[in-house]
Amino acid sequence: SCDRCPHGNGASWCNGECEWRDNACVRSSKLDHIHPDYFRITERYAFQPVMNQNREYVNVILVRSPYRDEDDEHLYNFYKDDILFLGISSYESFPLKSPNPYSHKYDSEYYLNMFPGFLHNM
């Protein structure tokens, strides 16, 4: 079982991302449709994982803020043909310019045209 995970984290830690098979903690077969690097990408702040109504991960990642560095942009460009990336307006006014004068400055047009769609939480 996952409570015997060699990392000592136990079943509650893996959140369905792994399972105990052949005496080893391995990636869950429930995630076969998800890109193998999905969870590595969503560890970064700009990228948010997506679940369906059954609490199953789908091969979609939401971009919720401007990229924090070149690594974020590199990840997007590298995986954009394998994973559906959509923008989501959840960081201040992202993708529009922030009304906060102390916020990070970014080109809103750049992000508006980057993704095939945007989810707006207005």
Side-chain angles (χ1 to χ4, degrees):
S1 74
C2 285
D3 58 342
R4 292 185 14 214
C5 178
H7 304 291
N9 296 312
S12 63
W13 180 79
C14 71
N15 295 319
E17 295 175 25
C18 60
E19 58 191 39
W20 197 259
R21 201 175 335 133
D22 298 326
N23 230 11
C25 187
V26 297
R27 180 180 163 98
S28 173
S29 59
K30 296 177 189 174
L31 299 175
D32 287 344
H33 63 287
I34 299 295
H35 193 284
D37 293 334
Y38 185 87
F39 295 105
R40 183 177 70 82
I41 298 165
T42 58
E43 287 176 354
R44 302 192 56 94
Y45 178 80
F47 303 113
Q48 180 71 36
V50 177
M51 292 179 151
N52 65 18
Q53 67 275 15
N54 298 320
R55 301 195 49 77
E56 300 165 332
Y57 288 101
V58 295
N59 207 39
V60 177
I61 292 177
L62 300 177
V63 179
R64 63 179 171 178
S65 72
Y67 299 138
R68 297 230 165 148
D69 56 36
E70 290 178 4
D71 291 341
D72 286 348
E73 188 164 9
H74 173 75
L75 284 171
Y76 164 73
N77 285 317
F78 188 82
Y79 292 106
K80 67 182 179 182
D81 294 329
D82 299 325
I83 299 170
L84 175 60
F85 287 85
L86 297 172
I88 183 169
S89 60
S90 63
Y91 172 83
E92 294 184 357
S93 296
F94 180 77
L96 304 177
K97 292 187 182 191
S98 173
N100 183 344
Y102 301 103
S103 288
H104 172 74
K105 303 295 181 225
Y106 54 88
D107 179 8
S108 61
E109 289 296 318
Y110 179 75
Y111 290 99
L112 282 171
N113 298 316
M114 182 175 288
F115 312 111
F118 248 93
L119 302 175
H120 292 281
N121 300 326
M122 305 281 176

